[in-house]
Amino acid sequence: MNIAREAESIINGPRKQSYGPVEESFRRHAFVWTGILLPKLKEPITPEEVILMMIGLKVMREANARHRDNRVDIIGHNLLLDKLIEQHGLKHNLTAHRAGKKTLPRKRVHR
């Protein structure tokens, strides 16, 4: 099976069953990461940003040592990001996001 089909079967099968809906799963990640980084943040981390950081992690690992799993996960995370963007009609652009254009709703950071 090619890696694109493998990634798609994982995110629509075992991943979905284990972790639940995409938005809920990455919103929970964002909540925890925001909590950990709260003293350094000006605003909360979004689910979109979590996925981008996960992709970055896998790219870094792949650059260090080639493993099929990294490449499958990179594709899978991109598919999940696309699904999240499509669900919300978002134009993913962190610069646009920072300028206040439409992205996933952010939860307020309480200090």
Side-chain angles (χ1 to χ4, degrees), residues 36-92:
I36 292 168
L37 297 171
L38 190 60
K40 297 179 179 196
L41 294 176
K42 292 183 181 176
E43 54 189 67
I45 294 169
T46 67
E48 301 160 274
E49 292 165 333
V50 169
I51 296 173
L52 289 171
M53 288 186 274
M54 296 299 292
I55 292 168
L57 172 70
K58 289 298 185 167
V59 167
M60 180 201 63
R61 287 181 176 174
E62 183 65 14
N64 184 55
R66 303 250 183 248
H67 291 286
R68 181 182 174 87
D69 177 67
N70 293 326
R71 296 185 301 277
V72 171
D73 286 350
I74 290 166
I75 293 170
H77 281 98
N78 274 290
L79 291 170
L80 292 171
L81 179 60
D82 189 60
K83 185 179 286 192
L84 200 59
I85 290 168
E86 294 223 355
Q87 285 175 353
H88 294 276
L90 305 176
K91 290 184 178 178
H92 184 78

